[in-house]
Amino acid sequence: MSVKIALLGFGTVASGVPFLLEENTKKIEQTAQSAIEIAKVLVKDEAEKDSLIAKGYDYPFVTDVEEILSDSDIAIVVELMGRIEPARTFIKRALEAGKHVVTANKDLLAVHGPELLEIAQKNGLALYYEAAVAGGIPILRTLANSFTSDKITRVLGVLNGTSNFMLTKMVAEGWSYSDALAKAQELGYAESDPTNDVDGIDAAYKAVILSQFAFGMTIAFEDVHHKGIRDIAPEDVALAQELGYVIKLVASIEETPSGLAAEVTPTFLPKHHPLASVNGVMNAVFVESIGIGESMFYGPGAGQKPTAASVVADIVRIARRLKDQTVGKGFNEFHQAAVLAQPEDIKSSYYFAIGTPDQPGQILRLAEIFNAEKISFKQILQSDADGQMARVVIVTHSVDKTQLEKVTKRLAELSDIEVYNVLKVLGE
Amino acid sequence: MSVKIALLGFGTVASGVPFLLEENTKKIEQTAQSAIEIAKVLVKDEAEKDSLIAKGYDYPFVTDVEEILSDSDIAIVVELMGRIEPARTFIKRALEAGKHVVTANKDLLAVHGPELLEIAQKNGLALYYEAAVAGGIPILRTLANSFTSDKITRVLGVLNGTSNFMLTKMVAEGWSYSDALAKAQELGYAESDPTNDVDGIDAAYKAVILSQFAFGMTIAFEDVHHKGIRDIAPEDVALAQELGYVIKLVASIEETPSGLAAEVTPTFLPKHHPLASVNGVMNAVFVESIGIGESMFYGPGAGQKPTAASVVADIVRIARRLKDQTVGKGFNEFHQAAVLAQPEDIKSSYYFAIGTPDQPGQILRLAEIFNAEKISFKQILQSDADGQMARVVIVTHSVDKTQLEKVTKRLAELSDIEVYNVLKVLGE
C-alpha cells in the first residue's frame, strides 16, 4: 500500500522531491515500509500547469487547494510555497482536514508555529519541518532524537548562506559589502531586496525554531535581537584578521543563570573555531552541551536537492509512523517554560572600532571611559591616522549588556569621538 | 513507572551514565516518557565493589552476571566492558533472556555484529550502539533517520582520536611520529601497545559499522584495507603542506560502479576540505550524497561524557519505544547485499615520495615508468639531494588500484630507486 502525498507549490525545492523519491525508491520503501506516491500537485494557475506539463512533469496538477483538502486518500500535505499567506491558511486547513503536514517554511513556523503545532497536536497529526532550519543539515531531528540525553548550554549557528557567502568574499578577497551584495544578487543567492538575509532576519527566524529544539523554549521572533552585516567595513574585516579572528553572521542561543539569550549578530570568531571555516553558502550549527561537549553539524543551508532531502526525510518518517501507529508524536517533545535572560547575565567580549582626534592622550582617555564601567581591555591596536582621525581598536574582556549599553552611550556623547563599529567577539 | 537498566562494567564511560541521568532527569523523562533507573551494576569482584562504594557510588553492585540476567525487572542491559569476551557472551545471553541491549563496543560489533543483531531481531529486541562510532557524534542515528531520503555515495571519516592527535602535532608542531606517540601515551590517549589506534584497526572497525548504516551493506573487517600512520615521516608532512594538503588518517567508504570500496589510510586532504581542520582528538564524518550534497558531523570521538551521552540517548530511545510498543525496530533498517568493488574501479590520486640517484635524467626516467602504466602527473617537486639521493615527489592524477600496484611493483624492481612512501590524495 502506498502513502499518498500532495505538494502545495512546484517551484525549485518541490521539483527536488520527485527526484529523490525516484532515485532512492528502494531505500525509502525499506524505511517507510510503504511506497510514497505524489497524488496531486497544487499550482497557481492553468498557465503554470501547462508550462510544467510542457517540461515533462506528468503529475495530476490542480489549481484549487480544495481538491487536495477534500481528497481523503491524501495522507500528507507538503507545503513548499513559502511566505506567510496563503501557506498558513492551507496548512491550517490541511491539519483540520486530518492531514499530516511537512513544510520548509521557516518564516511561518517562527511566527505562527505554536498555533499550527497546537492544531496538529490536538488532532494527533504530524507537523514536521526539518528543512526550515539550515536546509539540508539534519539538525532538528538530531537535536530531538540524539540530544535527549544531553543538556545543551549554547548553540551557535551560521544559518544564512547569503550573508555567509558575502562575508566569505569580504574576508577572502577583501571585497566591500556592496560588491559582495552585487555578486550574491548576480548568482541568485540574494534577492533584489536582500533585507531578510543581510539584516539577520532570516537567521533570527531559524534561531526561534532552534530554541525550541535545543532548549525546549518557545520564544518570540521579537525576543531574538538581530543585527545584520550592512555596517561591516573592509577595515573591520582586515582588523579581525590581524587580531586572529574571522567575521561571520552568527546566531547565538545560550542559557544564562536568569534565562535564555538569543541574538543574531556579526561575530568575531577565533580563526581556529570550527565555525570559522564554514565558508560560502554553507551553514553549520555548533552545539555546546554538558555531555558531548562540542559538536558541529555542517552542510548546505539551502538549494533544491538539500532542502528536498530534508523534506523527504520528514515524509518518510511520517509514512513509517503511520505504519507503526505512532504518528501523533511531536517533532520536538522537549518543552519548558520560556524565560528570557536579564541583560546583566548576557556576557561577551566586544570589538570597538573608534575614531579619535589624532592627538596624544587618546588611549588614556578611552581607557578611563571603559574603566569607569569596569570594562577591561584584552587587545588594543592603534592604526595610522586617517586624515584628522586616528583609528583605535579595542577588544574587551567579558562585558554584560548593561555595561555595553552604558559605555556605548558615553562614547556617543563625546563629540570629537566617532564609534565606527561595535561587534561581538567570541572567546577562545 | 520506571524503566530499569543494568550496567555491565563501571569504568570511565559507565560512570558518565548516572551523571547524565541525574543532570538531565526532566528532559530525559519527557522524551522517554518514563523514569530511568540503574537497578544493578556488574563489577569484577568484591574489591572493585568496595572501592566504588568508598568513592560514594551506592548502586546495587553485583559480581555475578546471573543476578542481572535472571532479574525480570531489568529491561535494558548496558554493556560497557569493552573487548570481545566476556562482553559477547553476556550480550548474547542478555538478548536470549529477553533484554534490550545498549553497547559502545565497536570491536565486538564490527566482528560479531551480524550474529548479535540476528538474535536481537529474532526476539524482537533492540540492540543499539550509537557510541560505537565516533563516540559523542550522533552519526549512526542520523544516518538511519535523516539520510533515509538520500543516497550516500561516499563517507570519509576521521575516526581515531589518538592518531588524529598525533598527526595534528606532527603537522602543527613538526613533531616526529615517535615524539607524537610518546606524548599521546603520556596524556593517556594511546595505550602502551598503540597498535589498534596507529595501524588503523580501530578506524577500520568503525568503517565496518558505518558501511552498514550508510550503504546498507554488511562487510567484513577483512574487507576494509587498513594502513596506519607509523610510516609518516616529517618530510611527508612538510611536503603535504608545501603542496597545499594536510595529512589525516581517513576512513573512506565509497560506492563504485562494481561495488563498495572501504579503506583506512593516511590521506592528503586539500587544506580547505572541511575534514582538514578536524584537529586533536576530535572526530568527524563527512558524507557525500545525491540529495544533501556535502555534510559533516563533528565532535569528540571518545571520552567519558561524550560516549555516555550516546549511550544514554540509546537507552532513552529504547525506553520510549517500550512505551510506544515499537521496540522491535532495528537500529538500522537499510539493508542490501554487500558487493565489493573491483580494483580497477577504486580510483584516487596518489603521492609518491621517491629517492633517486642524484644524477640528471631521473625525472624523465620516472615519467617513462609512470607513463607506461598510463599514469599522469598532477604535481611534481624535486627537493634538494640528501646525501647520494635526490628526493622526487609526485602527485598523480586519478589512478586505479591495478595501476597503483603495477607502478609500485615496477619501482620496487629498480635497485637504485627507493620508494619512501605512497599515500592517497583526495582531489579537490
Side-chain angles (χ1 to χ4, degrees):
Chain A
M1 212 200 69
S2 71
V3 171
K4 291 194 167 53
I5 69 172
L7 308 182
L8 307 188
F10 202 76
T12 311
V13 170
S15 60
V17 171
F19 167 80
L20 287 170
L21 290 177
E22 282 154 30
E23 287 291 319
N24 226 5
T25 312
K26 208 174 121 193
K27 183 177 180 185
I28 289 173
E29 292 186 3
Q30 263 189 21
T31 331
Q33 295 196 350
S34 303
I36 290 165
E37 182 192 332
I38 301 177
K40 277 179 190 165
V41 175
L42 179 71
V43 292
K44 272 195 307 287
D45 48 31
E46 292 295 327
E48 188 184 4
K49 179 175 160 179
D50 293 344
S51 124
L52 288 167
I53 290 169
K55 279 182 196 156
Y57 291 110
D58 63 345
Y59 299 105
F61 291 107
V62 299
T63 54
D64 183 354
V65 74
E66 299 304 332
E67 290 193 52
I68 289 168
L69 299 175
S70 64
D71 184 342
S72 60
D73 285 346
I74 290 171
I76 307 172
V77 167
V78 182
E79 184 274 312
L80 296 164
M81 313 166 74
R83 318 257 162 171
I84 303 293
E85 284 297 350
R88 178 187 174 196
T89 304
F90 288 179
I91 290 179
K92 222 166 139 174
R93 294 202 49 215
L95 291 168
E96 284 161 357
K99 303 193 185 310
H100 306 286
V101 172
V102 173
T103 172
N105 196 324
K106 63 190 164 303
D107 313 29
L108 181 62
L109 285 158
V111 180
H112 301 287
E115 172 200 23
L116 299 172
L117 286 164
E118 199 191 319
I119 303 174
Q121 208 190 346
K122 210 176 59 194
N123 294 308
L125 296 166
L127 170 56
Y128 292 173
Y129 41 94
E130 176 65 81
V133 176
I137 309 175
I139 184 64
L140 298 183
R141 183 155 286 121
T142 301
L143 290 172
N145 287 348
S146 295
F147 280 86
T148 45
S149 58
D150 206 349
K151 186 173 158 49
I152 294 172
T153 51
R154 180 159 72 168
V155 172
L156 300 172
V158 172
L159 300 175
N160 182 269
T162 307
S163 56
N164 200 47
F165 169 83
M166 291 170 59
L167 284 172
T168 301
K169 288 293 176 195
M170 290 166 72
V171 170
E173 325 271 352
W175 290 9
S176 70
Y177 169 84
S178 51
D179 287 347
L181 177 59
K183 189 69 180 178
Q185 284 170 329
E186 184 193 318
L187 292 171
Y189 297 150
E191 296 177 54
S192 54
D193 174 5
T195 307
N196 270 21
D197 290 322
V198 301
D199 288 343
I201 296 168
D202 171 80
Y205 283 139
K206 292 164 181 168
V208 168
I209 300 171
L210 279 176
S211 302
Q212 293 162 355
F213 283 74
F215 297 93
M217 293 191 192
T218 299
I219 60 174
F221 173 72
E222 295 70 31
D223 297 331
V224 185
H225 168 82
H226 65 270
K227 173 177 167 170
I229 63 169
R230 285 187 203 263
D231 299 332
I232 306 291
E235 290 78 9
D236 299 317
V237 172
L239 282 160
Q241 280 182 302
E242 198 173 333
L243 294 162
Y245 298 94
V246 174
I247 305 185
K248 299 267 171 208
L249 183 66
V250 176
S252 151
I253 313 160
E254 68 182 304
E255 191 189 63
T256 77
S258 54
L260 203 66
E263 71 175 333
V264 173
T265 192
T267 302
F268 278 37
L269 294 170
K271 68 179 179 202
H272 291 301
H273 192 283
L275 281 178
S277 41
V278 176
N279 289 320
V281 293
M282 298 306 268
N283 279 199
V285 179
F286 185 83
V287 180
E288 297 173 11
S289 58
I290 62 166
I292 298 175
E294 296 186 341
S295 52
M296 188 172 82
F297 305 86
Y298 164 95
Q304 180 198 36
K305 289 175 191 169
T307 311
S310 289
V311 166
V312 176
D314 283 348
I315 296 170
V316 169
R317 178 48 50 117
I318 294 176
R320 177 55 183 269
R321 287 188 170 172
L322 283 168
K323 193 86 184 174
D324 289 344
Q325 302 189 307
T326 55
V327 79
K329 279 167 83 168
F331 190 19
N332 166 42
E333 300 190 304
F334 174 35
H335 301 288
Q336 56 183 331
V339 183
L340 296 176
Q342 296 301 315
E344 58 273 22
D345 281 336
I346 307 175
K347 292 175 185 169
S348 178
S349 293
Y350 286 90
Y351 154 96
F352 285 78
I354 300 170
T356 67
D358 189 17
Q359 292 160 9
Q362 297 299 319
I363 299 277
L364 175 62
R365 190 178 161 215
L366 288 172
E368 282 169 352
I369 294 169
F370 279 78
N371 191 53
E373 301 304 338
K374 301 193 172 55
I375 299 172
S376 59
F377 295 169
K378 191 160 131 191
Q379 286 170 295
I380 188 159
L381 208 77
Q382 181 160 7
S383 312
D384 290 342
D386 174 17
Q388 297 297 304
M389 303 286 268
R391 179 182 284 261
V392 177
V393 168
I394 292 162
V395 175
T396 70
H397 280 292
S398 186
V399 169
D400 71 47
K401 287 270 180 189
T402 317
Q403 288 173 293
L404 178 67
E405 198 181 310
K406 282 190 192 156
V407 81
T408 310
K409 198 170 152 225
R410 262 177 194 265
L411 291 167
E413 284 164 2
L414 300 168
S415 60
D416 63 339
I417 275 181
E418 190 180 346
V419 178
Y420 299 127
N421 222 335
V422 181
L423 296 169
K424 194 170 165 180
V425 177
L426 195 77
E428 294 282 351
Chain B
M1 211 201 67
S2 71
V3 171
K4 291 193 168 55
I5 69 172
L7 308 182
L8 307 188
F10 201 77
T12 311
V13 170
S15 60
V17 172
F19 167 80
L20 287 170
L21 290 176
E22 281 154 30
E23 287 291 319
N24 226 6
T25 311
K26 210 175 117 194
K27 184 178 178 184
I28 289 173
E29 292 185 2
Q30 264 190 20
T31 331
Q33 296 196 350
S34 303
I36 290 165
E37 184 192 331
I38 300 177
K40 276 178 191 163
V41 175
L42 178 71
V43 293
K44 272 195 307 287
D45 48 31
E46 292 295 327
E48 188 184 4
K49 178 175 161 178
D50 293 344
S51 124
L52 287 167
I53 289 168
K55 281 182 195 155
Y57 291 110
D58 65 346
Y59 299 104
F61 292 107
V62 299
T63 54
D64 182 355
V65 73
E66 298 303 330
E67 290 194 52
I68 289 167
L69 299 175
S70 63
D71 183 341
S72 60
D73 286 347
I74 290 171
I76 307 173
V77 167
V78 183
E79 183 274 313
L80 296 164
M81 312 166 74
R83 319 256 160 171
I84 302 294
E85 284 298 348
R88 176 186 174 197
T89 303
F90 288 179
I91 290 180
K92 220 166 141 174
R93 295 203 47 214
L95 292 169
E96 284 160 357
K99 304 192 184 311
H100 307 285
V101 172
V102 173
T103 173
N105 195 326
K106 63 190 163 299
D107 313 28
L108 181 62
L109 285 158
V111 181
H112 300 287
E115 171 200 22
L116 299 172
L117 286 164
E118 197 190 320
I119 303 174
Q121 208 190 345
K122 207 176 59 195
N123 295 307
L125 296 165
L127 170 56
Y128 293 174
Y129 41 94
E130 177 65 81
V133 176
I137 308 176
I139 184 63
L140 298 184
R141 184 155 283 119
T142 301
L143 291 172
N145 288 349
S146 296
F147 279 86
T148 46
S149 56
D150 206 350
K151 185 172 159 50
I152 294 172
T153 51
R154 179 160 70 168
V155 172
L156 299 172
V158 172
L159 299 175
N160 181 269
T162 307
S163 57
N164 199 46
F165 167 83
M166 290 170 59
L167 284 173
T168 301
K169 288 293 177 194
M170 290 165 73
V171 170
E173 325 271 352
W175 290 10
S176 69
Y177 169 83
S178 51
D179 288 347
L181 177 59
K183 189 70 180 180
Q185 285 170 328
E186 184 194 319
L187 292 171
Y189 297 150
E191 296 176 55
S192 54
D193 174 4
T195 307
N196 270 21
D197 291 321
V198 302
D199 287 344
I201 296 168
D202 172 80
Y205 283 139
K206 293 165 180 166
V208 168
I209 300 172
L210 279 176
S211 302
Q212 293 162 355
F213 283 74
F215 297 93
M217 292 191 193
T218 299
I219 60 174
F221 173 72
E222 294 70 30
D223 297 330
V224 185
H225 168 81
H226 64 272
K227 172 177 169 171
I229 63 169
R230 285 186 203 263
D231 298 331
I232 307 290
E235 290 77 12
D236 299 316
V237 172
L239 282 160
Q241 281 182 303
E242 198 174 332
L243 295 163
Y245 298 94
V246 174
I247 305 185
K248 299 267 172 209
L249 183 65
V250 176
S252 152
I253 313 158
E254 68 183 304
E255 192 190 63
T256 76
S258 54
L260 203 65
E263 71 174 334
V264 172
T265 192
T267 303
F268 277 36
L269 294 170
K271 67 179 179 203
H272 292 300
H273 192 283
L275 281 179
S277 41
V278 175
N279 289 320
V281 293
M282 298 306 268
N283 279 198
V285 179
F286 185 83
V287 181
E288 298 173 10
S289 58
I290 63 165
I292 297 174
E294 297 186 340
S295 52
M296 186 174 81
F297 305 86
Y298 165 95
Q304 181 198 35
K305 289 176 190 169
T307 310
S310 289
V311 167
V312 176
D314 283 347
I315 296 170
V316 169
R317 176 49 49 118
I318 293 175
R320 177 54 183 272
R321 288 188 170 173
L322 283 169
K323 193 85 184 177
D324 289 346
Q325 303 189 305
T326 55
V327 79
K329 280 166 83 166
F331 189 19
N332 167 43
E333 299 188 305
F334 174 35
H335 302 288
Q336 55 183 331
V339 182
L340 296 177
Q342 296 301 316
E344 56 273 23
D345 280 336
I346 308 175
K347 292 174 184 169
S348 177
S349 293
Y350 286 90
Y351 154 97
F352 285 79
I354 300 171
T356 67
D358 188 18
Q359 291 161 9
Q362 297 301 318
I363 299 277
L364 174 63
R365 189 176 160 215
L366 288 172
E368 283 168 352
I369 294 169
F370 280 78
N371 190 53
E373 301 304 337
K374 300 194 173 54
I375 300 172
S376 60
F377 296 169
K378 191 161 132 191
Q379 286 170 295
I380 187 158
L381 207 77
Q382 181 159 8
S383 314
D384 289 342
D386 174 19
Q388 297 297 303
M389 301 288 268
R391 180 182 282 263
V392 177
V393 168
I394 292 162
V395 176
T396 70
H397 280 292
S398 188
V399 169
D400 71 45
K401 288 269 181 189
T402 316
Q403 288 173 294
L404 178 67
E405 199 181 312
K406 281 191 192 155
V407 82
T408 310
K409 199 171 152 222
R410 262 178 194 265
L411 291 167
E413 284 164 1
L414 300 168
S415 60
D416 62 340
I417 275 182
E418 190 179 347
V419 178
Y420 299 128
N421 223 335
V422 181
L423 296 169
K424 195 171 167 181
V425 176
L426 195 77
E428 294 281 350

